[in-house]
Amino acid sequence: MGVRAAGAMGLSPDAENDPPQKQLQLVVEVPKHARPGVTKLAVDVDEGSELHVLVPAEAVAGDRLRLTKMPDGPWTCVVLRSQPLYDVANRILQSPGDQCKLQLLVPANVKPGETKLQVTISADEQVQLAVPNYASPGDLIELHRADGEPWLAKFTRDRYTTSQDPQKGLAVMAELGKTSSEAGVDADALVDRLFTVAKEAGCFVSPKIKRGCAPPLNIPGLVAVEAIEEGEELIRVPSRFHLTPPTVETSAPALAAAVQACSMPAQRRGEALHAFFLARLLADAQERVVNAAGRSVLDGKWSATADQKKVWEAYADALLAEDFSYHPFRLAACKPEEMRENLSPSQEAEYFIDMAADLMSLHETMQRCEADAYAEDAEALPPLEAEMFLRARMCAQTRVFQTCVDTTLVPVADLLNHSPTLTPGVLWGWDAEAQAMIITAVRAHSPGEELLTTYGARSNMLVYRTYGFTLHPKNEPSFTYIIRPHLVRPVLKIFMDNEEARPLMLLETSHIDDSLCQILNQVTKKGRDATEFLRLLCARSRWAYDQDERIRPCLRALAKAREEQPGSHDWWSHMEEEHKDLVNQDVVRVIMSEYLCLTAHLEAVDYADEHRADSECLSGCQAWRKSLAKALGLLKTAGGFSLSTAKAESPK
Ligand SMILES: C[S@@+](CC[C@H](N)C(=O)[O-])C[C@H]1O[C@@H](n2cnc3c(N)ncnc32)[C@H](O)[C@@H]1O
C-alpha cells in the first residue's frame, strides 16, 4: 500500500532553478509510520503523474529521499540521512559454515527509529540497516540472504515470562503476627522482661538504656534514659546465648542430622535449621503469651541449659510482636501483581515473589526432616505452622549478625536500628577472647536519644532486599543492580556460548563483584570485547528505566542536577513540586539506585575507552570507576584480570 507523501515533497532549490528539460529533482521525507523496505510512497512528480518509490531498507523515518531524473533516464533515489551511520562491523557472529546468515546486536547508544547501522560484511560489501522504533539496545538482529538475493534483516525482541506466583503462600503471609496482635501482646513489657532474664543469666544490659522510640526514625529501638559517655559498654551477650546453626546442632542433634541427610545445598541447610529452631521457639512463645500454656520444646525433644532456656524463651516472647507488614517478602506474597507494578521496571519484585515461594517450600522440606528425625519417638510434636516458620526466617533475615559464625541471632543486641545517616552512635564488636558480643557507645548520648548502629554501608536496593527499608538517597553510599540472564539473553548468546551456565551478575559501585569479574574474563577468553559486552548489558538493562513514565520526573530532576554539576546525582532536591513525594517512596529509591548503578557503569566503560572524562562521570564512585577501567584495560592487554590486579592505585 502506498503512502501519499505529496505534503512532504517539494522541488528542491536546484530543481526550481534548473531548466525543466535538464535534470528533475525532488526531495521527500520518509514519513513517521513508513516501513523501510516495505512501504511505497506515492509522489506527485508532475501534474497528474505519480511516481511510486519503495522506501529503501536502509532509510528511517525522518530521512529524506533525493529523487533524481535525468532527461530520458530512470528515476534514482539517494537517502539523505538525518542521523550518522553507526558502524557495527565488529559485532558480527557468523554461524559456522553458513555464509548467508549473520547475527549481531543493536548497539548500546542507538536511537531506535532514527539510527542507521552500517554492517561491514566483507572488504567490499556493506549493508545498511535502520533500527526500527520498537528495538532496544542488545536486541538480536539476524541478517539473512538467499543465493543472489539482497540481505534481509530481522530484529528480534526477546520476551520472557515471569515465574508462577506463590499461591500457597498468600494466606499464610497475610496472617503473620495476627494472633499476637489480636491478643494485644505488649512488646515493650516483653522486651523489659527479656532484659531482666538476660541480666539474671549473666548478660550485661546497661541500666541507662530501654526499648523506646525517638526521632528521626520514631520506630521501636533502644533509647538512652540517662546520659551515656563515649566508650561506655552498653550490652554484653556471651556466645552461649547466641542462636547459631552450631548451637542448634548441639541443642537438637537428631533434627540437625535429618537436615544433613536432606538434599539441600550446605548453606541452605544451616539457614533452614536455624529458622526452624527459632520457629519452634516462637510457636511455644505464642502458646505461652497468648494461651498461657507452659509447653516448651526445650524440655522435651531438644535440650538447653537452664540459663539458655530462660533467655531464648524470653527472646522468642519479645519477637512475637513483629508482623513484618512492611517487609517486601510479605508484600510480594500477599499482592504479587501490586508489587510488580510498584517496583516496575525493577525486577526486584520477582526476587521477592520467588523468596516468598521459596520460604513455603523450605517449610515443607523442614517438616519432612523433623518427621524423619523423630520417627521413632512415641510422642509426636504438633505440626509447625508455616506462619511460624516464615516469621522465624524473616526475623533471622532482618536481625542476624556476623560473629565468628555467619548467621548469629543475639538477643537484646538485635534491638538496635540502623543509623539513617550512616553515622552510628554505637558499634557492636565480637570479643573473641571473651566469646561475647559487645555493644559500645562511640559518642556521648543524651537522655531520650536513640542508640543507632550500622548494618553496613549498602545501597538502597540491598537494604530494601534484606531489611525492608531504605535510606534517604542523599545518604545512600553506593548503587546496586543485578543483571538477570534472561533479560540480556541475546547479549549472552552473541558474546558467550549458548550452553554456558548463566549466573546472575552483581553490579556494584563500591567494588567489582566476583560475579562480574568472572564473566568479563570468560568473555575475553572467547576472544570477544568485554568492554562492549558490559556496555551492551547495561544499555539493554537501563532501557526500560528510560522509557518508564513513573520515574520520568526523577530522571528529569537527575538531568537538571547534572546540568548544574556533571558529577552530581542529586535528583531528590531537583524534583518538581508536584512530584516531590516520589523521593520518600521505598520503591522509587530502589529503582533509582538501580538506574544510577547502570548509569555509573555505562559512564565507566566510556571512561575506560577514553570517550568520557572523569569529571563528566558520577562522582562518589571514582575509585571503583578507576578499578573497573583498569580491569577492562587488563582484559585488552593481558587477556584477564583478578580482583586484586584491578585495584586502582590510591591517589598520592
Ligand atoms: C534488627 S531489627 C531492629 C529493631 C527493630 N526496630 C525492633 O523493633 O525490634 C531490624 C528492623 O528494624 C527496622 N529498622 C532498622 N533500622 C531502620 C531504619 N533506619 N529505618 C527504618 N527501619 C529500620 C527494620 O524494620 C528492620 O528490618
Side-chain angles (χ1 to χ4, degrees), residues 365-559:
T365 309
M366 286 305 298
Q367 291 262 77
R368 280 198 300 275
C369 286
E370 194 184 47
D372 290 348
Y374 306 112
E376 308 291 307
D377 286 17
E379 207 181 312
L381 283 166
L384 181 85
E385 305 276 330
E387 183 201 335
M388 283 305 163
F389 183 74
L390 300 181
R391 288 166 64 77
R393 185 67 199 100
M394 287 169 78
C395 279
Q397 162 117 356
T398 55
R399 310 184 89 89
V400 288
F401 291 90
Q402 215 173 358
T403 55
C404 57
V405 182
D406 267 359
T407 34
T408 306
L409 282 166
V410 187
V412 184
D414 66 355
L415 290 163
L416 290 163
N417 289 317
H418 178 62
S419 163
T421 56
L422 296 179
T423 44
V426 298
L427 285 177
W428 62 270
W430 166 244
D431 183 337
E433 205 178 314
Q435 290 286 297
M437 161 76 90
I438 295 166
I439 309 258
T440 316
V442 289
R443 65 164 176 82
H445 287 76
S446 312
E449 247 193 289
E450 177 164 7
L451 308 168
L452 293 164
T453 186
T454 171
Y455 296 175
R458 301 191 206 187
S459 68
N460 272 336
M461 187 268 207
L462 290 179
V463 180
Y464 190 60
R465 252 189 179 208
T466 312
Y467 302 103
F469 69 87
T470 55
L471 300 177
H472 190 285
K474 72 173 177 235
N475 297 323
E476 192 179 6
S478 64
F479 311 122
T480 312
Y481 181 81
I482 290 178
I483 300 185
R484 274 104 174 150
H486 65 279
L487 290 183
V488 291
R489 202 159 34 192
V491 183
L492 295 173
K493 181 174 150 91
I494 290 288
F495 281 81
M496 306 187 73
D497 285 345
N498 275 336
E499 313 78 47
E500 211 126 17
R502 302 283 166 75
L504 295 176
M505 284 163 270
L506 177 75
L507 303 187
E508 244 300 327
T509 59
S510 58
H511 65 277
I512 305 173
D513 188 71
D514 190 45
S515 57
L516 182 64
C517 171
Q518 283 191 25
I519 204 150
L520 293 178
N521 276 301
Q522 281 173 31
V523 165
T524 307
K525 279 209 184 77
K526 293 194 179 303
R528 309 222 184 277
D529 180 346
T531 307
E532 192 54 27
F533 171 69
L534 183 56
R535 180 181 279 123
L536 274 163
L537 289 180
C538 295
R540 183 171 181 77
S541 305
R542 203 184 67 168
W543 188 253
Y545 293 71
D546 280 316
Q547 313 305 310
D548 190 76
E549 275 301 319
R550 192 168 46 127
I551 60 157
R552 197 148 289 162
C554 309
L555 300 189
R556 271 203 302 275
L558 176 64

Side-chain angles (χ1 to χ4, degrees), residues 333-376:
C334 295
K335 295 182 177 167
E337 273 320 313
E338 198 174 309
M339 185 79 175
R340 280 197 181 105
E341 207 180 308
N342 279 339
L343 266 165
S344 167
S346 169
Q347 292 296 306
E348 281 295 279
E350 300 312 321
Y351 169 78
F352 297 133
I353 294 166
D354 287 352
M355 281 297 111
D358 181 68
L359 290 184
M360 294 304 295
S361 76
L362 201 56
H363 169 249
E364 275 176 23
T365 309
M366 286 305 298
Q367 291 262 77
R368 280 198 300 275
C369 286
E370 194 184 47
D372 290 348
Y374 306 112
E376 308 291 307

